[in-house]
Amino acid sequence: MYRIISTPASTFRQFRRLRSRPKLTTATEEEHAFQILWRHQILDPDSDIVTYWNRVFLVTSLLALFIDPLYFFLPTVGGPACLEADPKLSIIVTILRSFADLFYVLHMLMKFRTAFVAPNSRIFGRGDLVMDSHEIAMRYLKSDFVIDLAATIPLPQIVIWLVIPASTNARTDHANNTLALFVLIQYVPRLFLIFPLNRRIQKTTGVIAKTPWIGAAYNLVLYLLASHVTGATWYLSSIGRQFNCWKAQCNMENKSHTLSCFSSYLDCNSLDHPDRQYWLNITRVITRCDAKSKINIKYKFGMFAEAFLNDVVVSKFKERYFYCLWWGLRNLSSYGQNLDTTTYLPETLFCIFLCIFGLVLFSLLIGNMETYLSSMTVRLEEWRIRKRDTEEWMRHRQLPPHLQERVRRFVQYKWLATRGVNEEEILQSLPLDLRRSIQHHLCLSLVRRVPFFSQMDDQLLDAICERLASSLSTEGTYIFREGDPVDEMLFIIRGQLESSTTNGGRSGFFNCIKLRPGDFCGEELLTWALMPNSTLNLPSSTRTVKALSEVEAFSLQAEDLKFVACQFKRLHSKKLQHAFRYYSHQWRTWGACFIQAAWRRFQKRKATRELSLREGLYYLPETDGNEHFEDLQIGESSGNVKKIQNLGATVLASKFAANTRKGTHKLADPVPKLFKPSEPDFSQP
């Protein structure tokens, strides 16, 4: 939508007064009310509607520049030694030209309602817009109004439909010369309007074309326009050269007093005149001005002979138009090197201009086309050069083949993922709020796929998304090694990682898991960041993480995670702590090993008790036990015997337990102890 810069309060009051009338029901009054409001609207020169209109007017201006040279194709050779104007083509070109003139009128009205920046306010920033309609109108009348008016007046229509029919000596040759003169005069301001319009569009949007293909097509259209104008001028000049030959031969016959040749005979309107029929039978004008004839021709047509040798001047409009377009395109591209000229001065000057004009256009427009088309592959060319430099560097440093292959895979994968665009550089050049919004759009949906992040609120997620950076890893890359400092957390988006640990290199211990999209690694860094008095030394990794395939992930650096942990105390909540422990594979491994060790200890104690009871029931003492049994056997009842047996079983179990404790150092524990992951003091605020 366009933006209204200024609308006087009186206008709104008048509009409301018209709207509040009880009998305001007709369409005429409604239209009148909106016209009052529209007359006082001032448009911002950088608004969307003005930018859109400038692009539309640029297209219509190019079409108008294509339409005007069509007037040069009106004259044709309508019979032997006569010229005529094509009436159907005159009507079609007039309609097209009138439709194009309408856009020029609308463009002038837009300029009367478009604000401008005051020159004295451009010291800093954009400047102040002048919103007064009177000042806008006076500035436009003093600057571009005359040129716009000269380009808008329908001069060809006036000449061809009013001036020429009203003249007393309206022959075809005079009409052609007059029409061509006015078309050329008005073609200059119309062509001049293209350049400031291009600059205005570039100033507003930065570029003329949004894509390289449109830019290349725009320059190609300009080159075709130049070829179109050149071909139309060559055709009209060919007609003029033919008419000059007829006129010269007529003058020679009149001087010899052998035959009366009137200028009206050269107009096809006199084809049915009896005197012309008699003159046509005995004159030599046709034979001596026939470019196809090789006998008795003294008139040199030069570069215009091709129009008569190929019957261009007597062909239909489509045929002669496309032939002339091809002629102009061919000679502009070859700088007129194939032209066969005579000593006729206008012809020589035309060839000189054609050569210089073709050289300039080919250098400018075709050069711009090459620039636009090469910009489509500039990233690919940069990547190709970087790849070549990498290959030369690896050969120079004599890297082993497996390292070279890993480097090639990483360079190829990075190109496929980013297409050579440095995303960080682009984001850093943007304002903070815009950068935050872009990161929110790019990362939020992917971050929510991580179960740990799904427990956080939007404000905390925004802070994390703002500091996330993309990370790419190829197959076989070691992201962390056990014992190395952890400087970032990775949140997997695509691919698989292998996370393994030996619990500090202890023999007999190995744990390995796979990390898939939605998992994360480097959780030691979060524990370090949540510590109130964490040191500058980064935590050591307890696991070795290796990429099993191409991995795309988001990375969160240590300093960024520390900043988020310090600024947002909600990261210390019990809910997030439990979620972190649940989704952390380090905590899961420790919990699994702890449960496994406890279960095995329970099974061992259970087996020991069962064995003690089983051996106590069938054990009979040989020495000390027998003597003690004989002393107690005298005078004891059967109840005392049962107590002695229980006492013996107790003594035997105590001895077995003592022996078991003494031999524990000789038995290897099948499940080594896994240390509990370090845990911060969450009780502190």
Side-chain angles (χ1 to χ4, degrees):
M1 295 178 63
Y2 58 84
R3 188 171 66 177
I4 302 176
I5 301 300
S6 175
T7 304
S10 59
T11 304
F12 281 109
R13 288 194 297 269
Q14 186 178 3
F15 177 71
R16 287 195 299 266
R17 192 181 308 114
L18 290 172
R19 295 286 295 176
S20 60
R21 288 173 56 183
K23 295 183 179 181
L24 186 59
T25 57
T26 62
T28 304
E29 292 179 337
E30 289 278 355
E31 183 180 357
H32 177 64
F34 282 105
Q35 286 179 356
I36 293 176
L37 184 62
W38 167 253
R39 281 200 301 267
H40 295 275
Q41 289 180 354
I42 304 300
L43 302 177
D44 186 355
D46 295 332
S47 61
D48 294 338
I49 188 173
V50 175
T51 303
Y52 180 76
W53 169 255
N54 289 334
R55 292 186 179 277
V56 171
F57 184 67
L58 177 62
V59 175
T60 55
S61 298
L62 291 176
L63 293 177
L65 293 177
F66 271 97
I67 292 173
D68 285 354
L70 295 179
Y71 283 107
F72 294 170
F73 292 96
L74 294 182
T76 58
V77 178
C82 72
L83 297 179
E84 68 174 355
D86 191 346
K88 294 183 179 179
L89 183 61
S90 301
I91 297 174
I92 294 175
V93 175
T94 300
I95 294 174
L96 295 177
R97 169 64 191 249
S98 301
F99 181 75
D101 292 342
L102 179 62
F103 284 88
Y104 282 90
V105 175
L106 294 177
H107 186 63
M108 294 181 66
L109 296 178
M110 287 286 292
K111 283 190 173 183
F112 275 110
R113 311 309 305 169
T114 303
F116 66 94
V117 179
N120 55 358
S121 65
R122 295 177 180 175
I123 300 176
F124 179 77
R126 178 188 175 187
D128 298 330
L129 289 176
V130 177
M131 300 175 292
D132 184 64
S133 58
H134 178 72
E135 294 185 12
I136 295 173
M138 293 304 297
R139 178 179 180 272
Y140 177 53
L141 291 174
K142 294 179 181 179
S143 57
D144 300 333
F145 178 76
V146 176
I147 298 177
D148 293 343
L149 183 62
T152 306
I153 296 176
L155 288 179
Q157 297 95 309
I158 296 175
V159 171
I160 197 173
W161 297 105
L162 296 178
V163 177
I164 294 177
S167 61
T168 57
N169 189 16
R171 295 200 311 268
T172 304
D173 59 323
H174 292 168
N176 294 336
N177 295 333
T178 305
L179 183 62
L181 178 62
F182 280 100
V183 169
L184 289 176
I185 290 176
Q186 197 173 30
Y187 203 79
V188 175
R190 292 202 167 195
L191 185 63
F192 177 78
L193 289 180
I194 297 293
F195 302 103
L197 190 60
N198 281 336
R199 289 195 300 268
R200 194 175 301 115
I201 295 176
Q202 288 180 345
K203 183 180 179 181
T204 305
T205 62
V207 291
I208 292 293
K210 296 182 179 180
T211 62
W213 282 110
I214 297 179
Y218 174 70
N219 286 274
L220 180 60
V221 167
L222 293 180
Y223 195 76
L224 290 176
L225 175 62
S227 303
H228 168 64
V229 175
T230 304
T233 306
W234 171 76
Y235 175 80
L236 185 63
S237 301
S238 301
I239 294 292
R241 192 68 169 154
Q242 177 74 81
F243 186 82
N244 289 337
C245 179
W246 291 339
K247 191 174 181 180
Q249 293 299 324
C250 281
N251 293 333
M252 291 176 60
E253 291 180 357
N254 290 331
K255 289 181 180 180
S256 61
H257 301 287
T258 58
L259 187 64
S260 298
C261 179
F262 298 101
S263 299
S264 59
Y265 291 166
L266 303 180
D267 194 337
C268 289
N269 293 327
S270 61
L271 278 177
D272 299 332
H273 199 279
D275 294 339
R276 189 183 188 283
Q277 294 293 336
Y278 173 75
W279 168 80
L280 189 62
N281 292 330
I282 61 176
T283 185
R284 295 183 178 181
V285 172
I286 299 177
T287 58
R288 292 184 178 182
C289 293
D290 188 4
K292 297 180 180 180
S293 177
K294 302 296 182 181
I295 303 174
N296 296 328
I297 181 170
K298 297 182 180 180
Y299 197 85
K300 301 297 181 181
F301 287 92
M303 68 175 185
F304 306 113
E306 190 175 354
F308 308 102
L309 295 177
N310 296 321
D311 295 330
V312 179
V313 294
V314 295
S315 301
K316 296 181 180 179
F317 169 71
K318 294 181 181 179
E319 297 173 355
R320 64 176 181 267
Y321 170 75
F322 284 105
Y323 186 90
C324 294
L325 179 63
W326 172 81
W327 188 93
L329 185 61
R330 181 191 64 180
N331 288 282
L332 277 180
S333 303
S334 62
Y335 315 131
Q337 296 179 4
N338 299 324
L339 294 178
D340 185 15
T341 61
T342 63
T343 57
Y344 183 53
L345 184 59
E347 182 180 354
T348 306
L349 294 177
F350 181 80
C351 292
I352 294 174
F353 175 78
L354 181 64
C355 182
I356 298 175
F357 190 57
L359 180 62
V360 173
L361 284 180
F362 196 84
S363 302
L364 181 62
L365 300 182
I366 303 301
N368 290 340
M369 285 183 59
E370 183 181 1
T371 301
Y372 277 108
L373 294 178
S374 62
S375 66
M376 300 175 59
T377 58
V378 62
R379 296 294 182 185
L380 182 61
E381 184 66 19
E382 291 177 356
W383 173 75
R384 187 188 64 82
I385 295 175
R386 191 181 302 111
K387 185 177 180 181
R388 184 194 62 188
D389 296 341
T390 304
E391 292 288 342
E392 293 180 356
W393 174 79
M394 289 190 298
R395 286 195 299 267
H396 177 68
R397 295 300 179 184
Q398 298 181 357
L399 296 182
H402 69 280
L403 288 181
Q404 293 186 16
E405 185 62 26
R406 289 181 60 185
V407 171
R408 294 190 190 99
R409 286 205 310 266
F410 176 77
V411 172
Q412 180 70 20
Y413 181 65
K414 186 175 181 180
W415 164 256
L416 294 176
T418 63
R419 291 296 176 180
V421 178
N422 190 351
E423 298 179 356
E424 294 297 329
E425 182 180 354
I426 295 176
L427 289 175
Q428 291 300 324
S429 62
L430 299 176
L432 178 61
D433 181 66
L434 184 57
R435 185 166 65 245
R436 184 183 295 115
S437 300
I438 294 175
Q439 288 285 73
H440 185 276
H441 170 73
L442 295 177
C443 305
L444 185 60
S445 59
L446 297 176
V447 166
R448 288 190 182 276
R449 289 165 50 182
V450 179
F452 175 62
F453 283 153
S454 63
Q455 307 292 330
M456 300 180 182
D457 57 6
D458 293 339
Q459 188 176 5
L460 187 56
L461 283 179
D462 289 342
I464 293 177
C465 288
E466 184 181 347
R467 290 161 177 82
L468 287 178
S470 61
S471 175
L472 303 176
S473 301
T474 56
E475 182 180 358
T477 302
Y478 283 90
I479 300 176
F480 300 119
R481 293 182 183 270
E482 191 172 355
D484 291 346
V486 181
D487 58 350
E488 63 180 2
M489 283 188 69
L490 282 185
F491 304 93
I492 306 172
I493 303 303
R494 297 180 185 88
Q496 290 185 353
L497 296 175
E498 180 187 70
S499 178
S500 59
T501 180
T502 60
N503 193 24
R506 296 184 61 181
S507 60
F509 184 91
F510 181 77
N511 174 260
C512 180
I513 57 175
K514 284 187 178 180
L515 303 179
R516 294 178 173 82
D519 296 333
F520 56 90
C521 58
E523 54 265 31
E524 300 90 348
L525 198 62
L526 182 60
T527 304
W528 169 82
L530 291 176
M531 291 182 179
N533 299 320
S534 59
T535 61
L536 296 178
N537 298 328
L538 295 175
S540 298
S541 176
T542 59
R543 310 185 69 89
T544 298
V545 181
K546 179 182 178 181
L548 298 178
S549 62
E550 284 77 10
V551 177
E552 295 182 21
F554 285 126
S555 63
L556 190 61
Q557 299 298 321
E559 56 273 12
D560 295 331
L561 186 58
K562 186 68 175 178
F563 174 80
V564 173
C566 294
Q567 293 294 325
F568 296 90
K569 298 303 181 180
R570 288 186 297 276
L571 201 59
H572 298 261
S573 65
K574 292 296 182 182
K575 181 180 179 181
L576 291 182
Q577 294 169 21
H578 292 308
F580 169 70
R581 292 172 184 172
Y582 177 77
Y583 293 111
S584 172
H585 290 281
Q586 182 185 3
W587 278 85
R588 288 185 177 185
T589 303
W590 174 83
C593 293
F594 183 84
I595 295 173
Q596 187 179 26
W599 172 254
R600 293 196 177 188
R601 286 195 298 269
F602 170 75
Q603 292 290 339
K604 185 177 179 180
R605 286 193 294 266
K606 181 179 178 182
T608 301
R609 287 195 302 269
E610 291 179 354
L611 182 61
S612 300
L613 294 176
R614 192 179 301 116
E615 291 182 355
L617 293 176
Y618 298 100
Y619 179 75
L620 293 176
E622 295 180 355
T623 56
D624 297 338
N626 292 333
E627 295 176 357
H628 186 68
F629 180 75
E630 291 176 357
D631 294 338
L632 295 176
Q633 190 177 10
I634 301 173
E636 293 292 335
S637 62
S638 60
N640 293 333
V641 173
K642 187 179 294 187
K643 292 181 179 179
I644 293 172
Q645 291 179 350
N646 292 337
L647 180 61
T650 303
V651 173
L652 182 61
S654 63
K655 289 182 179 182
F656 181 79
N659 293 333
T660 302
R661 286 193 298 270
K662 292 179 182 179
T664 52
H665 65 281
K666 299 180 181 180
L667 299 176
D669 191 356
V671 182
K673 182 181 179 181
L674 181 68
F675 293 102
K676 181 181 179 181
S678 57
E679 182 177 7
D681 185 9
F682 293 109
S683 61
Q684 298 187 16

